[in-house]
Amino acid sequence: MFIHVTDPVDNTRILLNASCVLMVRGTVHGGSAIYLSTSAAHHPDVLLARETPEEMQALLTGEAPARTMAETPVETARPAH
């Protein structure tokens, strides 16, 4: 199962394989620190997300309502010249 999370710095949407999520903790500045199981056990990779731990729980358990296309931010790229 894949979920979308939001980068807290630039609001970029990130597609994340939910099976790689080891642990989710809240951060001091809001949002979550997502620990990923894809790295060494002594030094896990950490992904920061704008979603709160409660929102992450809802996403991971499938309880979150699906976003509509109108609610999903769209990234645009500048044409190469």
Side-chain angles (χ1 to χ4, degrees), residues 20 22-23 34-47:
C20 295
L22 182 62
M23 179 175 64
I34 304 168
Y35 293 80
L36 303 174
S37 64
T38 56
S39 61
H42 64 277
H43 188 51
D45 289 330
V46 178
L47 175 67

Side-chain angles (χ1 to χ4, degrees), residues 1-7 12-18 34 47 49-51 55-56 59-60 64 66-67 69 72-73 75:
M1 176 172 92
F2 291 93
I3 59 173
H4 280 98
V5 295
T6 309
D7 185 308
T12 303
R13 299 286 289 161
I14 302 165
L15 182 63
L16 178 64
N17 187 341
I34 304 168
L47 175 67
R50 187 171 298 258
E51 287 77 13
E55 291 171 324
M56 288 299 303
L59 287 170
L60 291 169
R67 288 183 167 221
M69 289 303 287
T72 305
E75 293 183 46

Side-chain angles (χ1 to χ4, degrees), residues 26-31:
T27 60
V28 175
H29 302 291

